[in-house]
Amino acid sequence: MARLLPILTFLFFNSLIVLSSQSKPPPASFKPNKLVLPAYKDKATNLFTTNIHKRTPSLQFPFVLNLNGKFLWVTCDRKYLSSTYQVPYCHSTQCAKASTTPSASCFSCSSHARPGCHNNTCGLMTQNPITHQNSMGELAQDVLSIQSTKGSNPGPFVSVPGFLFACASSSLLSKGLPRNVQGVAGLGHAPISLPTQLASYFGFAPKFALCLPSSISNNGAVFFGDGPYYMRPGNTDVSCSLTYTPLIISPRGKYHVSVTQIRINNKVVPVNTALLTLNRQGR
Ligand SMILES: *[C@@H]1O[C@H](CO)[C@@H](O)[C@H](O)[C@H]1NC(C)=O
């Protein structure tokens, strides 16, 4: 599998990215090489969120961005209406791909069948990244739509028909997360994370970049695909590549940032740098 080469970019500018959601349907042959999602900062939790279009008919839902999350999970037990929802059976190739352990657990559900509740499907452990509350979810597939971009201009929406995700219990959303979010979008170095599935479906570079807004009045962006990454016209002078730091992937697949010094208001904070510095293996 191609290695993810992510770049984490922090935006400390007063720049606004306004991502238009109006677009014409793309021509059938259209192959984007870069995709973009908006990024927002939640005032109450200081967590970053995004909006993702899923299902048929397509609906937009807010998700928390989780840098080390292994996949996307969404609550399905409330009202999941979609004509394209599918559940791969356990021991299928989709289950093998999604599971982190060789023997994928077969999921069963004692209540009546609905999205998130089927027999002989594949179980995925879903977790609230803040409270660490766990719940067994069902591996599922549905359409995911996402906006393409050529760099500075937003392009048409494109779709991934069988995007793999987990259907989680809505009880996982009860604490620690921003209001209204419907799940967590994992950006981790893992086989079915958002960046991995998008890169593999569209065949572009397995890279992504985050422009995290420093305040709730600014919007940020998550770019998938190769750089350079630019803002919308009017803000084209502000490039996300101005200040960035590469992410280091540890042997266990977790992202780290190599820190050599910490300054606050230009004053060096005395810290043991031996403890801060990570080697290439993320140790
Ligand atoms: C799963 O199988 C059990 C036992 O046969 C049954 O009681 C239950 O209703 C089934 N669940 C679904 C979602 O079909």
Side-chain angles (χ1 to χ4, degrees), residues 29-35 146-149 156 158 202-204:
S29 60
F30 180 72
K31 268 263 170 186
N33 64 3
K34 219 181 303 219
L35 306 167
I146 185 166
Q147 190 154 38
S148 62
T149 175
V158 288
F202 293 107
F204 57 61

Side-chain angles (χ1 to χ4, degrees), residues 255-271:
Y255 298 130
H256 298 270
V257 177
S258 188
V259 177
T260 50
Q261 194 180 62
I262 298 174
R263 290 189 206 188
I264 297 176
N265 206 10
N266 247 349
K267 287 208 178 95
V268 176
V269 178
V271 279

Side-chain angles (χ1 to χ4, degrees), residues 118-129:
H118 293 92
N119 280 336
N120 299 318
T121 56
C122 173
L124 273 186
M125 190 53 86
T126 52
Q127 188 182 61
N128 176 319

Side-chain angles (χ1 to χ4, degrees), residues 55 75-81 114-115 168-171 173-174 180-182:
R55 311 181 189 181
T75 59
C76 294
D77 51 357
R78 278 175 188 159
K79 244 190 198 161
Y80 193 107
L81 294 174
R114 54 160 178 80
S169 158
S170 59
S171 64
L173 296 173
S174 60
N180 301 327
V181 297
Q182 294 299 301

